[in-house]
Amino acid sequence: MYTVVEIKGHQYKLKAGDLIDVEKIEAEEGNTVTFDQVLFIGGTKTIVGAPVVGGAKVTATVVRQGRTRKILVLKRKPGAYRRKNGHRQAYTGLLITEINDGQGGVTKAEAKAKAAAKK
């Protein structure tokens, strides 16, 4: 089973056991977070939300908190004006542990995926 879920304004296609990076979520490493903005569930039985699927949830474990590579932004204008800025986007790494479709169907991550996330 796979799902399309909205997390902080972005849509992600997920399966149980996936490891994804999303915009920073205020949670400690090892904590469990739940997302209820499930837009679509696919697999043997397809469920389309209008706009969300009622009762469906995606559960994830916070694996890491970090920041991406630095991006340099250079500005120049005629004359002697020069400006150099840098930006590092904060992100949260999530391991998708469980997908619940709200109708009794539950898909859980395998133990191998959880062990891989620890490394």
Side-chain angles (χ1 to χ4, degrees), residues 53-96:
V53 178
K57 296 187 293 185
V58 174
T59 306
T61 302
V62 176
V63 178
R64 64 179 174 264
Q65 299 280 1
R67 294 174 71 187
T68 59
R69 291 180 41 208
K70 190 167 197 171
I71 297 173
L72 295 178
V73 180
L74 300 172
K75 295 180 184 178
R76 291 186 179 181
K77 291 190 177 178
Y81 177 77
R82 293 183 188 148
R83 181 77 177 163
K84 178 178 171 183
N85 285 331
H87 176 73
R88 293 183 70 190
Q89 183 69 38
Y91 71 90
T92 301
L94 297 175
L95 173 65
I96 307 303

Side-chain angles (χ1 to χ4, degrees), residues 20-39:
I20 62 166
D21 292 332
V22 298
E23 284 189 35
K24 185 170 177 69
I25 296 173
E26 295 297 328
E28 299 284 327
E29 288 185 22
N31 285 359
T32 302
V33 291
T34 304
F35 304 103
D36 59 352
Q37 294 293 314
V38 178
L39 306 174

